[in-house]
Amino acid sequence: MINETLSLLSIYQEGMSKDALIKCVKENDCLSCKTENRLVHIIYDVFFQRFMKVNPNVPLWLKLIRERGLSLKHFTQLLMVYCARENAVFFDAVTQILNSCKNENQHIVERDAFTKYVENLVKEGKAQWSESVQKRNASYVRSCFIDYEMINRKSEILPYEVNDFTILYFMHEQHFAGLSDMAIWEMEEWHLFNLTRHQVLDRIMSLSLKGAYMAQTSGELLTISWNYKSMEEFINATL
């Protein structure tokens, strides 16, 4: 729901409740929802769940990033990570299906890969879904792959490189959330971009030259001296 998210971020104000946001959407007619239930679903189950469940400031950060002019292509990477955090099926599909294809130098994801993946979740007892729900989940995951430009509609794998700002953003987000420097290095979100542990460290070290922080490594240890005191300061200084 990239376009819907952009529309909601454009009108969202700090401290807005779900119902206040729904009212604002109706007044500004910024979402083309055919039913009230659809509007409620988008705001309750998507916008608030993805972006506000852990930290209510996330929409404010994303709104500021858009205002500062980050390209839509790179901005969409941020939305992808928040989607994957909230939806474990999508997260694991990226790390297991897409990454496996890339590592095996395949150029296409088989059309039934998502169906088989969801079916295996049920067979392994990780989910209890009817056949109709399985089909819906498989279709949902494939749609996410297409929306986030990981594959095209022919299921061909598209170039998908993690942007420098994406790395910097999530490093700072987790730093201000209280994660240690080592925990940031080990974040599972890096797997969404098919980065190995060594590749993550290389990017962290190279990005330290941009001035947002100073990183030092010795063997298996990583320490970072952070320059910014808030996400807002980081965003304004970086974009």
Side-chain angles (χ1 to χ4, degrees):
M1 293 190 177
I2 296 171
N3 291 330
E4 290 87 346
T5 298
L6 293 173
S7 296
L8 291 173
L9 288 174
S10 69
I11 64 172
Y12 179 80
Q13 299 296 324
E14 184 174 5
M16 263 190 175
S17 66
K18 298 173 184 177
D19 291 338
L21 184 54
I22 289 174
K23 181 180 178 182
C24 191
V25 168
K26 291 179 177 178
E27 291 174 348
N28 291 275
D29 192 27
C30 64
L31 287 182
S32 57
C33 296
K34 295 182 179 180
T35 66
E36 178 80 10
N37 287 340
R38 177 65 174 168
L39 174 58
V40 170
H41 166 68
I42 291 173
I43 292 178
Y44 272 66
D45 301 328
V46 179
F47 190 81
F48 272 75
Q49 282 293 108
R50 287 185 190 176
F51 306 117
M52 301 187 69
K53 186 168 70 173
V54 175
N55 190 325
N57 291 319
V58 170
L60 301 177
W61 299 337
L62 294 177
K63 185 172 184 175
L64 177 59
I65 289 168
R66 283 297 288 162
E67 291 172 350
R68 298 290 294 181
L70 184 67
S71 70
L72 180 58
K73 178 181 179 180
H74 294 150
F75 184 77
T76 300
Q77 284 192 352
L78 307 181
L79 302 186
M80 183 277 289
V81 174
Y82 282 112
C83 176
R85 284 177 174 176
E86 183 60 26
N87 191 296
V89 177
F90 172 57
F91 191 113
D92 290 346
V94 174
T95 59
Q96 295 179 29
I97 298 176
L98 187 63
N99 289 358
S100 294
C101 290
K102 289 181 176 179
N103 294 338
E104 294 171 7
N105 292 318
Q106 297 179 19
H107 302 292
I108 192 168
V109 177
E110 297 295 333
R111 290 191 63 88
D112 63 351
F114 302 107
T115 300
K116 289 181 178 178
Y117 172 69
V118 172
E119 288 176 349
N120 285 335
L121 290 178
V122 175
K123 290 178 181 178
E124 294 169 3
K126 296 179 180 178
Q128 296 181 341
W129 294 327
S130 64
E131 288 189 10
S132 62
V133 173
Q134 291 178 51
K135 290 180 180 178
R136 187 160 63 246
N137 273 286
S139 176
Y140 168 80
V141 171
R142 184 174 184 274
S143 295
C144 285
F145 273 53
I146 294 172
D147 289 347
Y148 293 124
E149 298 183 348
M150 296 171 165
I151 64 174
N152 60 25
R153 295 194 177 278
K154 296 179 180 179
S155 295
E156 296 168 333
I157 297 173
L158 301 174
Y160 196 80
E161 300 295 331
V162 60
N163 182 45
D164 285 350
F165 183 80
T166 300
I167 295 177
L168 290 170
Y169 174 86
F170 286 109
M171 285 181 65
H172 281 81
E173 180 208 46
Q174 292 306 302
H175 165 65
F176 291 121
L179 257 66
S180 68
D181 299 340
M182 288 296 295
I184 289 172
W185 179 10
E186 302 286 356
M187 285 196 309
E188 62 178 3
E189 283 88 344
W190 304 136
H191 296 303
L192 291 167
F193 301 98
N194 201 27
L195 294 176
T196 66
R197 191 171 184 271
H198 180 70
Q199 288 171 331
V200 172
L201 182 60
D202 281 349
R203 295 294 291 270
I204 290 175
M205 297 306 296
S206 65
L207 287 172
S208 69
L209 301 176
K210 291 185 176 290
Y213 57 83
M214 181 173 291
Q216 294 180 312
T217 181
S218 176
E220 288 295 302
L221 296 178
L222 172 69
T223 57
I224 300 175
S225 298
W226 302 88
N227 292 339
Y228 302 122
K229 294 180 171 59
S230 70
M231 283 296 287
E232 291 80 5
E233 184 181 352
F234 154 69
I235 294 167
N236 283 318
T238 306
L239 293 177

